[in-house]
Amino acid sequence: MSLYRIFVRLASATAIATALCGNALAGEPLKAGFLYIGPTGDHGWTYSHDMGRKALEAKQGDKVKTTFVENVPETADAERVIRDLATKGHKVIFATSFGYMNSMEKVARQFPKTVFMHATGYKTGKNLGVYDIRTYEGAYMLGVVAGKMSKSGKLGVVGSIAIPEVVRNVNAFTIGARSVNPKVTTRVIWVNTWFDPGKEREAALTLISQGVDVLMQNTNSPATVQAAQEKGVYAFGVDSDMSKFGGKAQLAASVLNWGVIYNEQVEKIQKGEWKTTDIWYGVKEGAINIEAFGPATPAPVKKLAEERRDAIKAGKLHPFTGPLKDNTGKILVAAGKTLSDADLRKMNVYVEGVEGTVPK
Ligand code: GUN
């Protein structure tokens, strides 16, 4: 391509990008701001987002400049932080917890030239998109390992906040486990917060004292893995590899790769091609994987989990394919049918095998 044509291409791409993203000057790095609910050192959810931010920097080099704000509660504080990032010229703001949703919606209306991307939410607008990872695929794969490894037949989940995303993960974990051992049951303790290592630990210890010998969590810290290690039972890295906190206890980890989404979205903005979006990537798109198997996991169990992963990737397996009943015996999904994404996003009952009822 001639230099002149390269110049024309670059110039037109910049013109479109400038129109969409405000008055970014050509050659200036695109400023991307990140809101985190916990510290980057949580070694779980926030850590995984921060790895994604670093993957963005690694790929985009001096084309981006990133900022992050840690420990932002899901309150009016979030609105203040989001507005502050927008005011300071961030052209895209990634807010990485469900409870930031209304704050994002409000500030997005006030800054129409800024792109707002909200993780795990469902409200979209012209300049407000949502993105998420199919964490239930990870929970299912961990469940397969849990079902194989439990001796007591009692699995436990340290639940965060009882929104459909987390209920779905509890269910997927149980479906995975019962696919290899139909006798296992799951007990959930809800801590009503995403990140509180003290409460997460208490819940894990309570579950263990009740006979649970394999734990999963949907909270953000490795406290569950640490408690499992102390008590000589099994657990999983969730969102990130947590083997540093319980090398003997961790059977495997479901690891998130947000970098796929951060790079894709920023590249779209830079090319002036960004439009509002609703992203839900999974194993197929390289956004989630089962890895970091621990020394306690026998090779055939690892192999089985990886086969299930490959089947999900190939579109041959979906954790929510029927026949599936809820835990009152009502048919949730008929044989041969698979829940739609819309139904997955509304999930508010437990499947067969989970004890109790979903808190209101
Ligand atoms: N883990 C899974 N989903 C979420 C979420 O929306 N917020 C936080 N903080 N942690 C999560």
Side-chain angles (χ1 to χ4, degrees), residues 17 77 106 119 162 182 207 230 242 262 265 270 283 293 298 345:
D77 274 353
K106 192 162 168 196
L207 288 166
E230 262 173 61
M242 296 177 168
Y262 293 144
Q265 293 302 300
Q270 279 162 333
V283 169
F293 289 89
R345 284 172 154 159

Side-chain angles (χ1 to χ4, degrees), residues 191-267:
V191 293
N192 298 313
T193 180
W194 293 107
F195 178 74
D196 185 331
K199 281 193 188 153
E200 295 171 51
R201 176 183 164 77
E202 278 312 306
L205 290 174
T206 303
L207 288 166
I208 296 166
S209 74
Q210 294 170 351
V212 162
D213 63 355
V214 187
L215 293 138
M216 187 186 78
Q217 72 280 6
N218 207 132
T219 43
N220 294 175
S221 91
T224 301
V225 176
Q226 274 169 323
Q229 172 100 349
E230 262 173 61
K231 298 291 177 189
V233 299
Y234 295 129
F236 296 102
V238 172
D239 306 329
S240 303
D241 174 7
M242 296 177 168
S243 53
K244 260 200 283 191
F245 301 89
K248 287 201 207 121
Q250 180 172 299
L251 293 171
S254 139
V255 176
L256 306 181
N257 175 10
W258 297 100
V260 178
I261 298 173
Y262 293 144
N263 272 298
E264 178 194 87
Q265 293 302 300
V266 163
E267 283 165 14

Side-chain angles (χ1 to χ4, degrees), residues 9-319:
R9 282 205 174 182
L10 282 176
S12 57
T14 309
I16 301 165
T18 304
L20 237 180
C21 313
N23 43 12
L25 294 174
E28 253 186 34
L30 182 137
K31 287 171 76 175
F34 290 76
L35 236 72
Y36 296 149
I37 190 141
T40 55
D42 73 353
H43 293 283
W45 176 259
T46 294
Y47 177 79
S48 75
H49 282 282
D50 205 52
M51 294 293 283
R53 180 187 66 80
K54 287 180 177 158
L56 174 66
E57 285 193 333
K59 182 150 184 230
Q60 306 300 325
D62 55 13
K63 287 191 284 179
V64 297
K65 186 169 186 312
T66 70
T67 313
F68 61 88
V69 187
E70 298 171 282
N71 301 310
V72 181
E74 293 169 321
T75 60
D77 274 353
E79 191 183 317
R80 181 181 53 72
V81 175
I82 296 162
R83 187 173 294 109
D84 189 52
L85 288 169
T87 307
K88 288 187 175 140
H90 290 86
K91 290 301 169 204
V92 56
I93 296 166
F94 293 103
T96 67
S97 198
F98 179 75
Y100 297 147
M101 184 157 64
N102 292 340
S103 302
M104 284 290 272
E105 190 186 33
K106 192 162 168 196
V107 185
R109 275 196 240 111
Q110 296 161 352
F111 291 85
K113 289 184 177 164
T114 304
V115 172
F116 292 81
M117 286 292 290
H118 179 222
T120 77
Y122 53 80
K123 290 189 179 171
T124 55
K126 215 167 167 22
N127 61 330
L128 172 62
V130 290
Y131 64 104
D132 200 356
I133 292 179
R134 295 181 186 268
T135 46
Y136 67 85
E137 294 180 345
Y140 172 88
M141 296 186 280
L142 300 183
V144 170
V145 176
K148 282 283 179 194
M149 297 300 291
S150 175
K151 293 215 164 54
S152 68
K154 291 185 183 171
L155 310 182
V157 176
V158 176
S160 46
I161 298 172
I163 58 173
E165 170 197 341
V166 186
V167 174
R168 198 166 57 228
N169 287 343
V170 169
N171 286 341
F173 180 65
T174 307
I175 292 167
R178 288 169 68 95
S179 75
V180 296
N181 179 357
K183 291 206 189 97
V184 297
T185 56
T186 304
R187 180 169 292 186
V188 191
I189 294 185
W190 294 97
V191 293
N192 298 313
T193 180
W194 293 107
F195 178 74
D196 185 331
K199 281 193 188 153
E200 295 171 51
R201 176 183 164 77
E202 278 312 306
L205 290 174
T206 303
L207 288 166
I208 296 166
S209 74
Q210 294 170 351
V212 162
D213 63 355
V214 187
L215 293 138
M216 187 186 78
Q217 72 280 6
N218 207 132
T219 43
N220 294 175
S221 91
T224 301
V225 176
Q226 274 169 323
Q229 172 100 349
E230 262 173 61
K231 298 291 177 189
V233 299
Y234 295 129
F236 296 102
V238 172
D239 306 329
S240 303
D241 174 7
M242 296 177 168
S243 53
K244 260 200 283 191
F245 301 89
K248 287 201 207 121
Q250 180 172 299
L251 293 171
S254 139
V255 176
L256 306 181
N257 175 10
W258 297 100
V260 178
I261 298 173
Y262 293 144
N263 272 298
E264 178 194 87
Q265 293 302 300
V266 163
E267 283 165 14
K268 285 197 169 159
I269 295 169
Q270 279 162 333
K271 288 187 199 147
E273 288 169 1
W274 190 89
K275 285 200 296 284
T276 189
T277 183
D278 179 349
I279 294 165
W280 205 10
Y281 286 167
V283 169
K284 187 152 70 77
E285 294 84 5
I288 184 165
N289 192 19
I290 184 164
E291 45 197 79
F293 289 89
T297 311
V301 175
K302 173 173 185 273
K303 184 162 170 275
L304 178 66
E306 288 175 339
E307 282 166 4
R308 298 284 172 98
R309 186 256 330 271
D310 295 342
I312 292 173
K313 191 170 184 171
K316 290 188 184 136
L317 187 159
H318 190 298

